[in-house]
Amino acid sequence: MKKRMLRNLEVSEIGMGCMGFSHGYGQVPDEAYAIRAIEKAHDFGCTLFDTAETYGREMFYPGHNEELVGKALSPYRKETVLATKFHIHPEELEGGVPLCDVICRHLEASMKRLRTDYIDLYYLHRINEQIPVEDVAQVMGKLIEKGLIRGWGLSQVSVDTLAKAHQVTPVSAVQNLYSMVERDCEKEIFPYCIEHNIGVVPFSPIASGLLSGKVTADTRFEGDDVRRFVPQLSKENLAANQPLLDLLAEYADRKKATSAQISLAWMLHKYTNVVPIPGSKNQERILENLGACLVELTCDEFRALESALGSCTVYGHRGHVESEQKTFSNHWKK
């Protein structure tokens, strides 16, 4: 697999989102299956593996995903780039506890679960309005100097907040929602990141499975499956978005690929600083997604696809950065 740069970090051009092995997509697979899936991704050439301290089997077992990823990748630690995320609760700073101490506690816990003494890419999972992002950036700079992290990033962030943070400590990557049907990042995030040598790591690059063409009105999402709340996957919006899915299927047939692979190949062709992290708990789907690196669109094919996409109306937009952040914050108030 070809390599790309997230500022100072060299990674495979497609990474792997590991959340689904712990929660978010219904029943989770057993540990042996999950570990083998991660190993297969590594063997395919994937070097970027994404997790977070909050990804757990249940609300009161955060850290499960980090433990799983750490166990699976411990034999390959020097060959991989581990990315994880932390979230600061305002009450952790009560009584004048220094922000640096709070972040270090999160970092130490993540390193222990991941079986490592450094993190390659450490993200602030969501912006907390009570904590200036500049203060977080300053702490990240100190952690980089100490060699505890190699780079840092922000998730679901606006360009204004990104600029404030980047001016304090250069940001390696931004992890925002981005796909063929969620293109807000093209307005400001991508231009800023290209200008300032920052990588963009889209989560949900296949739009929660919509762009695979495999989700139908009869598909049932059970348990904690977050796709129950994705507006594009409602029965009405699935039908309304069919012209876009037909377009993808046409290109997939022409290129002897899958629709999901075409959606990823489009993204890779469009931006040289993009490294998508499709997530799945299914071994076949994981290898299919990584296989998008073998699908190359010609310049003419890309231009024609871009033009056709421009004429498609997307139904069920997920919302802007601010609404995503409020959902995340409300989750942690429960």
Side-chain angles (χ1 to χ4, degrees):
M1 193 182 295
K2 295 178 183 177
K3 299 295 193 296
R4 292 193 170 194
M5 299 300 296
L6 301 177
R7 192 172 191 84
N8 58 311
L9 303 172
E10 184 181 71
V11 299
S12 54
E13 62 182 345
I14 302 174
M16 179 177 174
C18 299
M19 183 185 77
F21 296 126
S22 296
H23 80 108
Y25 292 99
Q27 184 175 358
V28 299
D30 62 48
E31 182 179 281
Y33 181 92
I35 287 177
R36 184 60 187 138
I38 294 171
E39 291 174 339
K40 284 184 176 182
H42 166 267
D43 294 344
F44 191 91
C46 178
T47 66
L48 175 63
F49 295 85
D50 183 88
T51 181
E53 64 177 13
T54 59
Y55 298 165
R57 274 186 178 271
E58 51 190 59
M59 186 65 127
F60 301 105
Y61 185 7
H64 172 267
N65 201 247
E66 288 183 326
E67 291 177 354
L68 183 68
V69 172
K71 184 174 183 178
L73 294 177
S74 58
Y76 320 109
R77 179 64 187 99
K78 298 299 181 182
E79 306 165 21
T80 55
V81 174
L82 290 178
T84 192
K85 315 174 198 72
F86 69 98
H87 179 68
I88 305 172
H89 304 266
E91 56 268 27
E92 293 181 84
L93 297 170
E94 291 177 357
V97 179
L99 178 62
C100 185
D101 291 354
V102 171
I103 294 176
C104 282
R105 282 202 296 268
H106 284 266
L107 177 60
E108 289 167 2
S110 287
M111 289 193 296
K112 182 178 180 179
R113 289 188 290 261
L114 286 164
R115 305 186 181 193
T116 184
D117 57 2
Y118 69 96
I119 299 296
D120 297 286
L121 181 53
Y122 201 39
Y123 289 103
L124 178 63
H125 206 156
R126 291 292 186 272
I127 299 299
N128 192 312
E129 294 179 356
Q130 297 101 314
I131 305 169
V133 71
E134 297 93 330
D135 293 351
V136 176
Q138 189 172 39
V139 174
M140 293 298 104
K142 293 178 180 178
L143 295 177
I144 291 172
E145 290 176 0
K146 293 180 179 179
L148 294 174
I149 65 174
R150 295 177 60 207
W152 83 290
L154 297 162
S155 181
Q156 274 304 75
V157 66
S158 68
V159 72
D160 291 339
T161 301
L162 171 59
K164 291 177 183 177
H166 185 70
Q167 289 169 7
V168 177
T169 299
V171 174
S172 293
V174 170
Q175 185 174 135
N176 274 20
L177 177 68
Y178 179 66
S179 70
M180 277 184 169
V181 294
E182 296 289 349
R183 298 174 64 171
D184 291 347
C185 284
E186 294 181 357
K187 299 172 185 176
E188 296 181 319
I189 287 293
F190 271 107
Y192 184 90
C193 287
I194 289 171
E195 180 182 355
H196 294 89
N197 190 29
I198 301 171
V200 178
V201 181
F203 70 86
S204 198
I206 307 173
S208 299
L210 170 70
L211 300 177
S212 71
K214 295 182 173 69
V215 179
T216 70
D218 296 324
T219 303
R220 293 290 175 265
F221 302 121
E222 300 176 348
D224 73 343
D225 201 315
V226 296
R227 290 171 293 184
R228 290 186 299 159
F229 309 106
V230 175
Q232 290 152 359
L233 300 183
S234 70
K235 184 176 181 179
E236 297 76 13
N237 287 331
L238 278 172
N241 285 317
Q242 192 59 48
L244 187 149
L245 301 182
D246 292 341
L247 173 65
L248 272 177
E250 175 187 334
Y251 271 80
D253 183 65
R254 188 186 311 170
K255 300 293 288 186
K256 294 182 170 35
T258 67
S259 293
Q261 289 174 335
I262 294 297
S263 71
L264 294 171
W266 163 83
M267 187 180 294
L268 292 172
H269 186 107
K270 185 162 188 172
Y271 295 111
T272 59
N273 69 327
V274 72
V275 179
I277 49 167
S280 177
K281 61 181 183 180
N282 181 288
Q283 292 181 8
E284 291 182 2
R285 294 287 80 74
I286 290 167
L287 295 179
E288 174 189 335
N289 294 336
L290 295 175
C293 70
L294 304 175
V295 180
E296 292 191 20
L297 298 174
T298 67
C299 290
D300 287 342
E301 288 171 336
F302 174 78
R303 282 193 292 266
L305 180 55
E306 271 283 80
S307 178
L309 287 172
S311 65
C312 290
T313 300
V314 175
Y315 296 86
H317 190 262
R318 276 181 62 172
H320 300 288
V321 169
E322 291 77 11
S323 61
E324 289 279 343
Q325 289 181 0
K326 287 178 181 178
T327 299
F328 186 86
S329 297
N330 289 337
H331 167 82
W332 282 107
K333 288 177 182 177
K334 295 177 181 177

